[in-house]
Amino acid sequence: MSKQNTLLTFLQSTTRVDCDTLNSEVARKYENLVDCTSNQALAYAELLKPHYGGLLEESIRQSRQSLGPFGGVSRDELAVEIAMVKLSLRVAPHISGMVHMQTNPRHAYDTEATLSSAFRIVTLYKSLDTTFDASRICVKIPCTFEGLQACRVLHASGVKTLATTVFTIEQAVLAADAGCQYIAPYLNALKAQVDDSYHDPNPDFNLCVSAQRYFEHHGHGTQVLAASFSSTDDILKLAGIHHMTVPPPLLEKLDETPASAPKPESLFQADSESLPEVSVMDLYHKDFFLQAIERGQYKLSQAIEIFCDMQTKLEGLVENMRKDKGLEHSG
């Protein structure tokens, strides 16, 4: 089939399509992918593969060498960050846009620790590849009240951010006010991505559409990057969104399906509904923010818990390799 006539090329004519994986071969396979997203779940899925053993061992060795300049971080946590940055640097030559790297999710409710993780990530990119264009770095931060305070500081420092795990319009509005370059509303609960037996009964298409229309109406430069898709129909219903990050199985389905195949109408083609009314100043108060996002709090907390579990598993991989390779005291 001609690559000019697939659902993927159709989608790319309306939306910037990003790769939802740290597998560089996927980025190499599909043309015109823009950004690369990442998180602890995606990193764990890759680093479980035996052929990354050398990358992980090198990351462990470099974590020992780099530990001195970085205070307040364990060697295993640093090794995980180094490995994740290395994976994304392998993807970067095959995409045209940003690499998104997520901070340690254990710090999601700690502004200062999130800032330390974010600045460390930027430093690692610059030190691991001195030729890499630092303007392509975007730090992903869970969209908690504390995380958004970190985003505000990072924006003032010239660091691009993406507020992830967005489940409410109030999170989206405060993220734009904090200067985030992107938000990532999750169409489905993150659990649907890690548990094949789970199906989210309430995917939130309207949040993606409302957030984009709100930003455009109010002149915000923040881009909406939709995430957590379960089907190609989910994806096609949001054709016209600024960005979407698509996992490899759905990229493959889109690429194998002719553009002439039946497809759902995009929700961006529907008549505009009234814009949500949100008081940004009220959201500056933590108690009001928590009350405002109450309907999305369960999915937010669940997503952070899943990412924390993946962080623990990643550090477990590091610990096991350190012991197996006798790297406890090596330089």
Side-chain angles (χ1 to χ4, degrees), residues 29 137 153 202 216 227 233 294-295 306:
K29 179 178 179 180
I137 302 167
V153 174
N202 298 301
E216 291 173 348
D233 275 0
E294 185 175 2
R295 67 189 179 283
I306 290 169

Side-chain angles (χ1 to χ4, degrees), residues 11-47:
L11 186 66
Q12 289 173 323
S13 72
T14 68
T15 295
R16 296 178 182 89
V17 177
D18 306 332
C19 57
D20 197 14
T21 179
L22 282 167
N23 185 332
S24 60
E25 292 306 311
V26 172
R28 185 197 304 268
K29 179 178 179 180
Y30 299 104
E31 297 179 356
N32 301 319
L33 296 178
V34 182
D35 291 0
C36 170
T37 194
S38 69
N39 55 51
Q40 283 69 22
L42 296 178
Y44 183 66
E46 288 303 305
L47 291 172

